[in-house]
Amino acid sequence: MEKFSIFISSSDNYSDIWDIFFDLFHRFWPEYNGKIYLQTQKKNYIHKNLNIICTNIGNIKEFGASLRAGLNKIEDENILFIMIDYIFMGKVNHDKIMEYYKFFITHDVDSLRLVEEKFEHYNNTECPDIKQCLPPAKHRFFSYQIAFWKKNKLKEMTLPHESPWSSEWYGDKRAHLLPLKLYSIKETIQQPIPYDLRGCLHRGKWLNNAIDFLNSINYKINYNQRGLYTNEYKSFSTYLKLSVKLKLDGIKGSYWNLLKLRLKK
């Protein structure tokens, strides 16, 4: 069976949590012995128990362009995409990961999500854990992680000028037009990689869920370095700024890309 690499979406600004992330990675997934590509600008990082390759893409401003540059550094065509601010919170079910990856390969899937986000339209498959999404629901954010991806398909889903949010917003619409061969584990199935979908950081500060978990396993860190996020997770001002950003990125090229895809159909 073809190999897969792991791609950790990060930046040098998160270097203070690399030890935390990878300590927990090794603790909860000791069976994994493949390559882990860590997205970095100029910094390098090593972990004594893991095979980490830093992408060192340089200072690229936009998320989409930097993501593409990082993907170009990966030798394998198949990747498991994970973001650095989502720490593992329990034992990874390695056998299930490999079972799902085999399905990903044998069914020529573009993306297989290892979490479920209540996709409204789907077909069942011969695997009782997995459903085919038809396609992602409109007018919502389509998260790229945590999921197996064909590397080149993920590049196609992300335009160079886009931010993480606009990439997922317009990427959802692109998924309809390509169309994306998207599969997901079912909502009733336990996640093979346990973590909280809220993440562990918001606006660069620690969320309570991560603090409670790290305290529960006696992992000591200095929370004062980043501080604690105590405001509302969502607010009107956040919504307004995001709305403006989405429209600007649309004008920069996302709208025209969607139009081009529609004309091809």
Side-chain angles (χ1 to χ4, degrees):
M1 186 164 57
E2 298 175 50
K3 297 184 298 180
F4 69 88
S5 297
I6 293 177
F7 182 49
I8 307 297
S9 179
S10 183
S11 72
D12 290 359
N13 292 332
Y14 288 94
S15 61
D16 60 299
I17 69 169
W18 289 345
D19 279 341
I20 303 167
F21 181 92
F22 289 111
D23 284 348
L24 296 178
F25 185 109
H26 177 67
R27 176 172 179 170
F28 291 126
W29 198 359
E31 299 90 348
Y32 183 77
N33 58 8
K35 295 177 182 177
I36 302 173
Y37 288 85
L38 174 63
Q39 182 80 312
T40 63
Q41 280 74 49
K42 295 182 178 180
K43 290 187 177 182
N44 288 302
Y45 177 78
I46 59 173
H47 191 284
K48 63 180 181 180
N49 296 310
L50 298 169
N51 180 15
I52 296 176
I53 302 167
C54 295
T55 58
N56 292 132
I57 60 170
N59 294 323
I60 301 176
K61 183 178 179 181
E62 296 296 348
F63 167 79
S66 63
L67 178 67
R68 287 182 167 210
L71 290 171
N72 286 337
K73 299 275 188 172
I74 299 174
E75 296 178 354
D76 297 316
E77 172 57 25
N78 303 317
I79 63 169
L80 178 60
F81 185 66
I82 306 175
M83 300 185 76
I84 194 69
D85 52 345
Y86 289 76
I87 58 175
F88 288 11
M89 292 185 169
K91 181 72 174 69
V92 172
N93 189 332
H94 180 74
D95 290 340
K96 279 294 182 184
I97 292 287
M98 299 312 296
E99 176 187 335
Y100 298 156
Y101 181 62
K102 183 178 180 180
F103 183 97
F104 174 84
I105 293 296
T106 57
H107 290 70
D108 192 29
V109 175
D110 291 331
S111 179
L112 172 56
R113 294 178 49 76
L114 302 181
V115 294
E116 204 281 342
E117 287 191 282
K118 299 182 180 179
F119 294 101
E120 294 91 342
H121 308 292
Y122 61 89
N123 286 333
N124 289 318
T125 70
E126 69 272 21
C127 176
D129 291 4
I130 296 175
K131 63 185 181 182
Q132 180 186 14
C133 305
L134 300 170
K138 293 182 180 179
H139 310 304
R140 61 190 289 277
F141 281 91
F142 167 53
S143 176
Y144 291 144
Q145 63 102 38
I146 184 171
F148 285 115
W149 279 93
K150 288 180 181 176
K151 179 180 64 176
N152 288 332
K153 186 60 65 172
L154 182 55
K155 286 175 65 177
E156 191 175 357
M157 288 284 289
T158 312
L159 300 186
H161 67 277
E162 291 176 337
S163 70
W165 303 277
S166 57
S167 177
E168 292 182 348
W169 177 259
Y170 293 105
D172 175 70
K173 294 162 178 55
R174 282 191 285 271
H176 289 261
L177 298 170
L178 290 173
L180 184 73
K181 291 180 65 177
L182 175 68
Y183 291 72
S184 170
I185 66 169
K186 295 180 179 177
E187 187 178 4
T188 54
I189 301 302
Q190 185 174 0
Q191 294 175 206
I193 299 179
Y195 66 68
D196 193 321
L197 288 176
R198 292 172 295 173
C200 61
L201 300 173
H202 186 62
R203 295 183 178 272
K205 297 186 177 183
W206 288 102
L207 292 172
N208 286 334
N209 62 320
I211 295 171
D212 292 343
F213 173 74
L214 292 170
N215 288 339
S216 73
I217 62 171
N218 296 314
Y219 194 106
K220 305 298 183 183
I221 66 171
N222 179 11
Y223 296 109
N224 293 327
Q225 183 175 351
R226 283 186 170 269
L228 311 181
Y229 189 78
T230 57
N231 298 326
E232 289 293 326
Y233 190 76
K234 295 180 180 178
S235 65
F236 178 74
S237 63
T238 299
Y239 170 81
L240 184 61
K241 290 177 182 177
L242 180 56
S243 179
V244 170
K245 177 62 176 171
L246 290 175
K247 287 180 172 56
L248 289 175
D249 282 351
I251 294 169
K252 288 179 181 178
S254 299
Y255 290 144
W256 322 126
N257 172 258
L258 293 174
L259 178 60
K260 181 179 179 181
L261 291 173
R262 288 192 183 98
L263 292 174
K264 283 183 176 180
K265 289 180 74 68

